[in-house]
Amino acid sequence: GAAPPGPVGGDVASDSYNNLFRDVEGLRRLGVSHYRFSLSWARLLPNGTAPPNPAGLAHYRRLLARLRELGVEPVVTLYHWDLPQALQDAFGGWTSPVLPQLFRDYAELCFRHFGGQVRYWLTMDNPYVVAWHGYGTGRLPPGMRGGPRLGYLAAHHLLQAHAKVWHLYNDHFRPAQRGKVSIALSSHWIKPQRMTEKNIKECQKSLDFVLGWFAKPIFIDGDYPESMRSNLSSLLPEFSEDEKKYIKGTADFFALSFGATLSFQLLDSHMKFQQLESISLRQLLYWINSEYNKPQIFIVENSWFVSGTTKRDDAKYIYYLKKFIMETLKAIRYDGVNVFGYTVWSLLDGFEWHRGYSIRRGLFYVDFQSHDKKLMPKSSVLFYQKLIEKNGFPPLPENQPIEGIFPCGFAWGIVDNYIQVDTTPTQFLDSSVYVWDVHQTKKLIKVDGVYTSKRKRHCVDFAAIRLQISLLQEMHVTHFHFSLKWSLILPLGNLSLINHTLVHYYQCFASELLRVNITPVVALWQPMIENQELPVSLAKYGAWENTETVQAFVEYARFCFTSLGEHVKFWITMNEPSVKNLTYTAGHNLLKAHAKVWHLYDKEFRRSQKGKISIALQADWVEPACPFSRNDQEVADRILEFDIGWLAEPIFGNGDYPEVMRAWLHRINSVDLYNFHLPYFSEDEKKLIQGSFDFFALSHYTTTLVGSEKEDAVKYDHYLEVQMISDITWLHSPSRAAVVPWGLRKLLKWVKSKYGDVPVYVMANGIDDDQNMVHDKLRVYYIQNYINEALKAYTLDNVNLQGYFVYSFNDKTAPKYGLYSYVANQYEPKPSLKHYREIIDNSGFPGPETPELLCPEEVASCPDCHFFRTRKSLLAFISFIFVAFIVTIFFIIYYSKRVERRYK
C-alpha cells in the first residue's frame, strides 16, 4: 500500500523518547515476560566518545525502573544501526579498524550504568544488513556504495567489535552482574529448486553467505565458512590465529532475528544461488540446531508486516505471527530444538528504514501525523495477549472430537457429478448371425443377410451399470447422489427430440440402485463449464437470463418426474448453482424455475410417487479474519448473505432477497456509481417461492477468512469491499483448499439460526488429493473430522441433520476427489473409502458408553435377509429348478409303477 501523507524521515516516528510511560502501558496490557529495546549510541555519546549525555542516561534509567516495577525483563541491544555521525565522518564508520575499540568503550559505559538491571545483552543487531547494505550496496545508512570489498571489511570489524565487548563483559562485569551477552543474527531460509546434491550444496552456500558469515566465526571456530573463503579469495579479509581464538565462543546463546527485515526484502538475489527462498522458521531453527552444536536459541525478532494504510484490523500480521509461533513450538516439541524465548517485532509502528512508513510492523497502531502519538491496540494485540495468557495453543474444548452416533434412517451417501453413461449394447441385442472361423482367423465372421428375431432391451444389457453398482455396494452407502444431463436428455431443449436410450439407462441405473437398497438422489440440473449444462438452444439465447428457460426447465422436470419418478423419490431441482457466475437477473429466473418445479411435483406427482424435493446450495463457511473485530464480523455476515442467503432467503426465509443485500447494493449504487439492479418479486412470486422446499441441502467444502482492511489487491473484492485472507497455519490440500472441520458445524448452526428447525442434508463434502500420495491421509483426516463436527451439530446443537454425503465417488469422473482411484481402466479403493465405510457401519463414533443403535427394520430382520432381498431373481430361478426337479421325479416314479403293473 502507499505510505500515508505525513513524516518522511525517522526523526520523530512513534516518538518513544517522549512517550516512555505510553510504551510501558502497552507492555503491561500485553502481559509480556520481556521487552527488547535498543540503546542509542548517538543519544548516549553524541560525539561517539565521552563525555556522555546526562539526559540520555536518565531516559534509559527511567525506562529500566518502569520495567522493573512491571516485572518485565529487559533485553538490551547496544547498537541497532545508529552510528554517531561524528564517527562516520571522522573514520568512515565500520570500515575503520578504530571502531571496534570505540564500540568497546561505549559498551563499557552501558554496562557500568545499566548492567545491574540487565541480564540479556545483544551487542548489535543484524550485522549482515549493516555491512552489506550499509557499506556494500548503500541501500541503508550510512549509504556507502563500496561494493563487496568494503562490505566484507565492515563485517570483519563488526565481528572484532562484538568479540571485544563480549570479552569485556566476561572479564569485568559477568561475575557481579551475572548477565549473558550475544549478537542478534538475521537469516532467511532457502530450499532447493530440485532435490539434487548440487542444489542442496547451493542452499548451504546461501545460508553460509548470510547467517554463517557471522555465526560460524562466533559459534564454531573463529573463521568464515569454507564456501565463502573458497569463493571470495582476496575479497574476504583474514583473521589471524589469535583473532580466531578471540572470536570463537563469544556468545552465551544464539540470538536469532527472522522475518520481514531480511526475508524477501534485503536479501540480494545472487545470495540465493538460484535456489528458492522460503519463510519456514521451523526448518531454519532445525538447521541452526544441527549446524552450530545445539545452542540455546533466543528468537529476538520475528513477525511480518501489513500495508501502511492498514489501521487496526491487521489480520495478515496475525496469521504470520501464528505461523511463526506454531513453527517455533513444533521445533521445540518435535525437533528437540532448545528455544528459550520468543520476541515479536514490534511493540508499535515505526519508521521502517528503506520502507519508510509504507509498511507497519507494530502490535499497536500509531497515527504518525497526530501530536500525542497515542497508541491504539490492533487486533494482533488481542491475539498475542491471549496467546501469552494460554502459553501457546492449548486444544480448544469445542474442537475436541466427541463420541456418539447418528440416528436410525440417517442417510449415508456418496456423490458423483454425473454417472458414467455407457449405452453400448451387449452382444445379446445384436440380431446378426456369426460363424466362428476356427481354421484361419480364429475370429467370428458375420453372415451377411441372416438375422435372428430381436428381443426387448433389459437393464442387464448395460455392463457399465453392474460395475458401478458393485463399487457402490462396497462402500455400504445408503444413498447415491448424481445429476442428470439436461443437454443430452432433451438436446433441443424441448420434447420434440428425446434421447430415449439415455432415459432408459437412467431408469435402469435407478432401479438397480433400489434393488441393492441404495436410494438414488437425483438432481435435474447441475451447472458445468460448457454451456452451464443447458441444451445448446437455451444456452445460446441468454440461458437463465431468458424467461423461456424457466418454462423449458418446468417441462423438462415434468418429463423426468414422469419417466423416472417410479424409481426416484429424492429429487434436487438444481445442484450447486454458482452464485459467483450468476447475474441478478439469472438468479431471479433460477429461483422462479425452482419454485415452479417444486409446486409441479407437489401438486401432480407427490401423492402418487411419495417423494421429496428441494434445491442444493453451495455453502462454504466465512469467518472474520480478526475474530475480535466488529468490522470483520460485518464483512463475514455480508458475504454469507451474498453467497448463501441470496438464493436461500427467498426459499427458506421470507420469500424475498436478504435485506443486507438490498441495503448494500443501494449503498454502493448511490456512492460508487455502480448500477447493480436486484430485481423485485411480485407478491404472487414471493408466495410461489417461499416455502418451496422439503429440506435444506447444502454442499460444503472449506472455510474462508475475510477482512475489512485492503491488504492484497489480488485477493480484494472492491464490489463487496472484502479482503480474502489465508491462515497459513491451516492444513491445505494440493489445490490450496483449507481443511477447517469446525467451519461445517458453524455453518449448520447458522442455517438453523436463520431458517429454523429445517431438515438438513450435507449433500457434498470432500477434498482433493495428490495422486502420488499412496496413503490418502489427508482425506481420511478430512472425512473423520468433518463427520465428527456434523455429529456435534446434531447432538450438541440440535441441528435437524438427516444425511451426509462424501464428494466424490471416483477419480474418473472427479479427478483427485474420488474414494476410488482410476488407473489403467481399473477402480481401486483408497484407504479413505475403507475409513468412511467403517464410520457408516458404526453409525458414527460410538464409545464405551454409547448405547447400541437398534433400528426397527434391523430388529425385525435376520442377518442373512439382505442376501435374499438382493437376489430375488436368483431365488426365483432356483425355486423353479427345484419344483421342476420334484415334478420330474414324480413323473418318473409314476410311469415306472404303471409299466410294472402292465407287465404283471
Side-chain angles (χ1 to χ4, degrees):
V8 290
D11 293 351
V12 178
S14 54
D15 198 14
S16 281
Y17 182 77
N18 292 308
N19 290 280
L20 185 149
F21 290 96
R22 174 203 69 179
D23 293 2
V24 173
E25 177 56 27
L27 295 171
R28 188 196 62 75
R29 179 166 183 169
L30 285 167
V32 294
S33 59
H34 66 273
Y35 176 48
R36 182 189 168 194
F37 66 92
S38 302
L39 303 176
S40 172
W41 187 352
R43 177 176 290 147
L44 289 169
L45 297 173
N47 297 318
T49 57
N53 172 15
L57 291 171
H59 169 73
Y60 292 120
R61 282 200 196 98
R62 279 197 305 275
L63 175 56
L64 288 166
R66 289 292 292 153
L67 292 176
R68 189 171 63 248
E69 286 170 21
L70 207 58
V72 173
E73 183 87 58
V75 178
V76 181
T77 308
L78 291 169
Y79 172 63
H80 197 138
W81 312 357
D82 56 342
L83 188 72
Q85 188 63 40
L87 301 184
Q88 184 64 39
D89 295 341
F91 303 107
W94 287 105
T95 60
S96 169
V98 174
L99 260 286
Q101 182 59 41
L102 294 177
F103 184 59
R104 181 199 176 281
D105 296 342
Y106 158 62
E108 185 173 2
L109 172 82
C110 297
F111 294 153
R112 289 195 188 283
H113 283 274
F114 311 125
Q117 297 170 63
V118 178
R119 287 198 309 152
Y120 292 97
W121 289 98
L122 300 172
T123 55
M124 54 188 70
D125 183 86
N126 204 340
Y128 166 85
V129 170
V130 176
W132 192 253
H133 290 301
Y135 294 87
T137 68
R139 288 180 66 188
L140 290 176
M144 293 181 69
R145 296 180 181 176
R149 186 178 297 279
L150 212 59
Y152 292 126
L153 181 63
H156 204 68
H157 295 148
L158 285 164
L159 277 165
Q160 289 171 333
H162 159 76
K164 276 183 179 290
V165 170
W166 187 88
H167 283 286
L168 167 71
Y169 190 85
N170 193 56
D171 297 343
H172 301 286
F173 293 95
R174 193 190 299 275
Q177 296 180 0
R178 299 187 179 185
K180 294 185 177 183
V181 179
S182 189
I183 180 171
L185 300 180
S186 186
S187 185
H188 62 308
W189 178 248
I190 198 96
K191 60 184 183 182
Q193 290 249 22
R194 286 181 303 279
M195 289 301 280
T196 64
E197 190 175 342
K198 180 180 182 295
N199 284 352
I200 291 168
K201 283 180 178 176
E202 294 296 285
C203 287
Q204 176 73 28
K205 195 186 294 182
S206 175
L207 290 167
D208 281 347
F209 269 67
V210 178
L211 179 58
W213 186 3
F214 299 91
K216 184 172 174 285
I218 293 169
F219 289 91
I220 301 296
D221 60 5
D223 202 0
Y224 297 115
E226 176 56 37
S227 59
M228 290 184 77
R229 287 191 289 122
S230 59
N231 276 270
L232 299 171
S233 61
S234 61
L235 276 177
L236 197 64
E238 289 187 10
F239 291 117
S240 67
E241 288 305 314
D242 286 345
E243 283 177 324
K244 288 178 188 176
K245 288 175 188 172
Y246 191 70
I247 292 169
K248 178 185 173 183
T250 55
D252 301 323
F253 55 92
F254 197 113
L256 176 65
S257 168
F258 182 80
T261 303
L262 192 55
S263 295
F264 301 99
Q265 289 187 46
L266 290 174
L267 186 70
D268 287 0
S269 58
H270 70 270
M271 291 288 194
K272 299 174 191 176
F273 292 91
Q274 299 180 319
Q275 306 308 308
L276 301 173
E277 194 174 358
S278 164
I279 52 167
S280 178
L281 176 55
R282 180 182 175 185
Q283 287 175 290
L284 176 62
L285 289 169
Y286 185 83
W287 185 83
I288 290 169
N289 189 60
S290 306
E291 191 80 1
Y292 301 116
N293 300 324
K294 301 185 177 178
Q296 286 189 311
I297 300 173
F298 191 173
I299 297 170
V300 293
E301 175 183 342
N302 177 237
S303 75
W304 208 243
F305 60 91
V306 292
S307 162
T309 57
T310 298
K311 291 188 170 61
R312 306 276 295 276
D313 296 329
D314 55 342
K316 176 182 166 187
Y317 187 94
I318 287 175
Y319 291 108
Y320 271 97
L321 208 55
K322 184 180 175 188
K323 168 190 166 67
F324 291 137
I325 297 172
M326 276 192 169
E327 288 192 354
T328 302
L329 187 58
K330 287 175 184 174
I332 296 166
R333 292 281 296 276
Y334 302 137
D335 306 332
V337 180
N338 185 356
V339 182
F340 69 91
Y342 177 89
T343 315
V344 169
W345 189 278
S346 65
L347 177 65
L348 40 91
D349 292 333
F351 177 71
E352 294 294 338
W353 297 95
H354 66 298
R355 300 290 294 269
Y357 296 99
S358 67
I359 63 169
R360 291 176 180 269
R361 295 182 64 200
L363 293 165
F364 286 90
Y365 176 83
V366 177
D367 181 353
F368 296 113
Q369 297 176 75
S370 67
H371 175 69
D372 60 357
K373 303 290 190 292
K374 185 180 173 186
L375 293 190
M376 288 183 280
K378 301 182 190 178
S379 291
S380 52
V381 164
L382 295 164
F383 167 78
Y384 195 45
Q385 187 182 52
K386 287 190 178 299
L387 189 141
I388 292 168
E389 209 175 276
K390 294 174 180 176
N391 199 31
F393 305 94
L396 297 172
E398 62 268 29
N399 289 342
Q400 297 308 295
I402 64 165
E403 293 176 346
I405 52 177
F406 291 94
C408 293
F410 190 79
W412 292 103
I414 190 75
V415 187
D416 208 355
N417 288 335
Y418 299 102
I419 56 172
Q420 182 192 341
V421 175
D422 182 0
T423 56
T424 307
T426 64
Q427 62 186 27
F428 303 112
L429 293 177
D430 189 351
S431 58
S432 303
V433 173
Y434 296 83
V435 173
W436 198 307
D437 182 359
V438 293
H439 298 294
Q440 294 179 2
T441 64
K442 303 276 195 295
K443 292 180 180 178
L444 290 172
I445 300 171
K446 188 176 179 180
V447 180
D448 293 332
V450 181
Y451 300 98
T452 62
S453 58
K454 284 189 175 182
R455 67 163 176 80
K456 275 179 68 178
R457 290 173 179 270
H458 296 295
C459 289
V460 291
D461 295 330
F462 298 120
I465 292 179
R466 290 200 303 275
L467 173 61
Q468 290 179 82
I469 298 292
S470 66
L471 294 174
L472 288 167
Q473 281 183 282
E474 279 294 306
M475 293 185 176
H476 297 184
V477 291
T478 61
H479 290 64
F480 178 53
H481 172 33
F482 63 93
S483 300
L484 303 176
K485 288 206 168 192
W486 183 5
S487 62
L488 296 183
I489 293 173
L490 302 180
L492 300 180
N494 56 45
L495 298 176
S496 64
L497 179 62
I498 299 168
N499 187 337
H500 288 289
T501 305
L502 180 59
V503 172
H504 179 61
Y505 187 91
Y506 283 132
Q507 288 169 337
C508 286
F509 200 100
S511 66
E512 287 299 294
L513 285 170
L514 290 172
R515 192 179 65 78
V516 295
N517 283 344
I518 296 175
T519 301
V521 181
V522 180
L524 294 169
W525 173 72
Q526 176 170 343
M528 296 300 275
I529 294 168
E530 191 177 353
N531 293 325
Q532 298 182 55
E533 200 42 60
L534 295 169
V536 176
S537 57
L538 296 174
K540 217 184 274 184
Y541 294 102
W544 288 107
E545 299 268 338
N546 189 341
T547 53
E548 288 184 17
T549 304
V550 175
Q551 197 50 43
F553 186 62
V554 174
E555 291 308 309
Y556 161 63
R558 183 190 298 277
F559 173 75
C560 292
F561 296 152
T562 305
S563 306
L564 302 172
E566 180 189 345
H567 306 298
V568 179
K569 313 298 179 188
F570 198 143
W571 290 98
I572 301 293
T573 55
M574 299 155 175
N575 193 51
E576 296 185 24
S578 174
V579 295
K580 305 290 184 198
N581 304 318
L582 210 58
T583 65
Y584 292 130
T585 303
H588 203 67
N589 289 333
L590 192 141
L591 281 165
K592 288 192 278 190
H594 154 77
K596 286 185 175 186
V597 167
W598 186 89
H599 284 284
L600 168 70
Y601 190 84
D602 193 49
K603 288 172 185 170
E604 298 184 28
F605 295 94
R606 192 189 296 275
R607 184 174 295 173
S608 60
Q609 296 184 0
K610 297 181 172 56
K612 54 188 174 184
I613 184 167
S614 200
I615 189 170
L617 303 175
Q618 182 158 343
D620 287 336
W621 181 243
V622 179
E623 184 78 2
C626 295
F628 320 106
S629 163
R630 186 177 298 172
N631 292 338
D632 284 11
Q633 185 61 61
E634 279 178 16
V635 170
D637 293 342
R638 180 159 69 245
I639 300 305
L640 285 169
E641 294 294 1
F642 271 83
D643 282 3
I644 306 170
W646 176 7
L647 299 180
E649 186 64 30
I651 298 169
F652 300 93
N654 62 11
D656 199 0
Y657 296 115
E659 185 53 41
V660 169
M661 278 187 79
R662 288 215 184 273
W664 182 258
L665 291 174
H666 176 74
R667 173 186 170 274
I668 65 168
N669 284 341
S670 58
V671 176
D672 298 330
L673 303 177
Y674 284 108
N675 187 22
F676 293 110
H677 174 63
L678 189 61
Y680 286 87
F681 294 113
S682 68
E683 288 305 313
D684 286 344
E685 286 172 337
K686 284 182 185 178
K687 287 175 186 171
L688 178 82
I689 295 168
Q690 186 181 20
S692 57
F693 68 90
D694 295 336
F695 50 87
F696 195 114
L698 59 91
S699 299
H700 176 84
Y701 302 98
T702 188
T703 289
T704 307
L705 292 170
V706 295
S708 55
E709 295 272 12
K710 183 179 177 182
E711 190 65 47
D712 178 359
V714 176
K715 294 183 178 179
Y716 187 78
D717 185 331
H718 290 271
Y719 168 51
L720 291 174
E721 293 180 13
V722 56
Q723 177 71 62
M724 302 299 170
I725 302 278
S726 295
D727 183 341
I728 41 186
T729 66
W730 282 351
L731 200 56
H732 285 82
S733 74
S735 71
R736 302 305 298 158
V739 179
V740 193
W742 52 257
L744 175 58
R745 182 182 177 189
K746 286 197 173 189
L747 173 70
L748 293 171
K749 285 170 74 174
W750 182 83
V751 169
K752 182 181 178 182
S753 69
K754 289 278 293 180
Y755 307 117
D757 196 31
V758 57
V760 179
Y761 289 87
V762 177
M763 202 53 77
N765 179 235
I767 194 82
D768 62 292
D769 61 19
D770 184 340
Q771 288 173 321
N772 298 323
M773 293 296 287
V774 181
H775 302 298
D776 195 28
K777 286 181 180 176
L778 180 63
R779 187 175 291 103
V780 169
Y781 174 87
Y782 183 97
I783 290 172
Q784 169 85 14
N785 288 279
Y786 272 84
I787 296 177
N788 198 266
E789 291 296 323
L791 180 64
K792 290 177 194 175
Y794 170 72
T795 56
L796 304 178
D797 308 326
N798 296 314
V799 173
N800 187 5
L801 185 63
Q802 301 205 351
Y804 171 89
F805 291 66
V806 166
Y807 181 85
S808 164
F809 180 20
N810 62 72
D811 282 345
K812 183 176 183 182
T813 51
K816 298 186 179 182
Y817 281 86
L819 297 194
Y820 280 101
S821 62
Y822 184 74
V823 181
N825 296 324
Q826 292 290 318
Y827 293 95
E828 287 295 331
K830 300 179 186 178
S832 52
L833 183 149
K834 294 167 187 171
H835 191 69
Y836 184 41
R837 182 171 62 201
E838 190 178 307
I839 294 171
I840 294 171
D841 291 344
N842 290 324
S843 297
F845 308 94
E849 308 297 315
T850 308
E852 190 179 351
L853 186 67
L854 296 172
C855 297
E857 63 271 23
E858 290 176 7
V859 173
S861 64
C862 61
D864 297 318
C865 290
H866 179 73
F867 175 86
F868 296 109
R869 275 202 306 273
T870 57
R871 292 166 175 80
K872 289 177 184 174
S873 302
L874 178 64
L875 290 172
F877 178 72
I878 291 170
S879 301
F880 171 75
I881 295 296
F882 181 71
V883 170
F885 176 73
I886 296 297
V887 170
T888 304
I889 295 296
F890 172 78
F891 279 115
I892 290 171
I893 293 170
Y894 175 77
Y895 283 106
S896 297
K897 286 184 178 179
R898 285 192 63 177
V899 170
E900 282 177 20
R901 278 198 216 101
R902 187 180 299 168
Y903 284 104
K904 282 181 181 177

